[in-house]
Amino acid sequence: MSNGISFGQYYPADSLLHRLDPRTKVLMTVLYIVCTFLCRSLLSFAVLTASAIVLVAISRIPIRMILSSLRPILFIIVFTSLINVFMTRGEQLLTPPEWKIKIYAEGIWTAFFMILRISTLIIGTSVFLTYTTTPIALTDALEALLSPLKKIKIPVHDFAMMMTIALRFIPTLSEETRKIMNAQKARGADFTSGSLLRRAKALIPILVPLFVSAFNRAFELAAAMECRCYHGGEGRTRLKVLRFRAVDFVMLVLLVGVGVGLVFLNRNGLGYAMK
């Protein structure tokens, strides 16, 4: 539907992650991001990769959809890996000393760890938030977690609503961009050849109608919300009341335990460890 963009896509299924409280999944997302940056050794990255595989398994999401979430950042992964391979210096030189381009074993390991870190980060956040949590549930979770800020007059509900709407319309705008590009290509537009400046100028016929379409959608959404007498979160009730259950507490404790285990493995890791 959205050309490989996973943000804003919800995959309906009956799994443990789908049944968790959305506040739990937001907290687990934050903890999982911390865990990805705690990894420093080969063994800790192996545990992190295994945890990502377990998350995909228990979420009952097709592996094809999970891999599609990595497609938009494939260029970033490859570019970052090459930078680490050629720019990282170390003690074990792999290329002949007379070569101008020097590649060290430390650079290979760093690039490999970077690939694992980015991939598991995208998979974990996609599974916890977009694939297993509806936009409405995500809005309620963000508002509930940020509710203490209401005491200092911060519009928490408006902030949560804006974030959710932005996530919801990412796939829509991506699909709109694809349609506009196909329409321009049918009229003879070329986006791949020529100098960088020429290709940048070729994007103008795409950006202008895309911005017009985005503003039209925003005006239509605003009009629809006004017609339904939407005036923010003050005094509003919810169809589904959020409640923490025992399984939510257990999942949070397990993820905290994984983070503690990763710190331990960094000190007693197997094989190469990052500096």
Side-chain angles (χ1 to χ4, degrees):
M1 179 184 70
S2 57
N3 200 23
I5 301 297
S6 65
F7 297 112
Q9 295 186 26
Y10 172 73
Y11 182 81
D14 184 18
S15 70
L16 175 63
L17 292 182
H18 284 78
R19 293 191 296 270
L20 288 177
D21 190 287
R23 295 171 295 179
T24 302
K25 285 184 277 189
V26 172
L27 294 176
M28 292 180 69
T29 301
V30 176
L31 291 174
Y32 194 82
I33 293 174
V34 173
C35 288
T36 59
F37 288 98
L38 287 176
C39 295
R40 309 290 296 177
S41 66
L42 179 60
L43 191 54
S44 62
F45 273 102
V47 173
L48 182 68
T49 304
S51 68
I53 296 174
V54 171
L55 286 176
V56 174
I58 65 177
S59 66
R60 298 183 181 180
I61 300 173
I63 189 64
R64 177 181 55 83
M65 293 188 65
I66 299 296
L67 295 178
S68 68
S69 64
L70 298 175
R71 192 184 311 161
I73 64 166
L74 185 60
F75 172 78
I76 298 177
I77 295 176
V78 174
F79 179 76
T80 306
S81 301
L82 292 177
I83 291 296
N84 282 280
V85 168
F86 293 111
M87 300 300 293
T88 302
R89 295 292 180 262
E91 299 178 355
Q92 187 177 355
L93 182 63
L94 300 179
T95 56
E98 61 272 9
W99 284 19
K100 293 183 178 181
I101 298 178
K102 301 183 184 299
I103 299 178
Y104 294 85
E106 289 81 358
I108 300 294
W109 279 111
T110 303
F112 177 67
F113 288 160
M114 186 63 65
I115 293 174
L116 290 180
R117 176 169 289 162
I118 296 177
S119 300
T120 53
L121 179 64
I122 297 300
I123 291 174
T125 54
S126 299
V127 169
F128 280 130
L129 290 183
T130 58
Y131 284 136
T132 63
T133 311
T134 62
I136 295 177
L138 182 59
T139 301
D140 293 341
L142 290 175
E143 184 177 358
L145 292 174
L146 298 176
S147 57
L149 298 178
K150 293 180 180 179
K151 296 181 180 180
I152 56 176
K153 305 301 182 181
I154 293 180
V156 174
H157 177 81
D158 297 339
F159 173 73
M161 179 63 70
M162 286 188 296
M163 284 191 61
T164 306
I165 291 176
L167 288 174
R168 167 60 185 83
F169 276 94
I170 286 176
T172 303
L173 293 179
S174 175
E175 181 69 15
E176 191 76 18
T177 303
R178 188 182 63 84
K179 291 181 179 179
I180 295 174
M181 290 185 68
N182 290 338
Q184 294 295 340
K185 288 179 181 179
R187 294 175 173 85
D190 186 8
F191 304 107
T192 57
S193 62
S195 62
L196 183 62
L197 181 60
R198 181 178 178 181
R199 281 183 286 180
K201 290 181 178 179
L203 293 177
I204 295 178
I206 297 177
L207 295 178
V208 172
L210 181 62
F211 273 103
V212 172
S213 174
F215 281 114
N216 288 337
R217 291 181 184 274
F219 290 137
E220 292 173 359
L221 179 61
M225 295 173 74
E226 289 181 357
C227 291
R228 289 166 174 80
C229 300
Y230 176 80
H231 299 291
E234 189 67 28
R236 293 177 62 88
T237 59
R238 294 181 176 84
L239 178 63
K240 295 182 179 180
V241 180
L242 302 179
R243 290 188 177 91
F244 276 112
R245 298 177 299 167
V247 64
D248 297 292
F249 180 74
V250 171
M251 292 296 290
L252 286 173
V253 172
L254 286 176
L255 196 53
V256 171
V258 171
V260 174
L262 292 176
V263 174
F264 175 78
L265 291 176
N266 287 334
R267 299 181 178 180
N268 304 274
L270 174 67
Y272 176 77
M274 298 178 66
K275 302 296 183 180

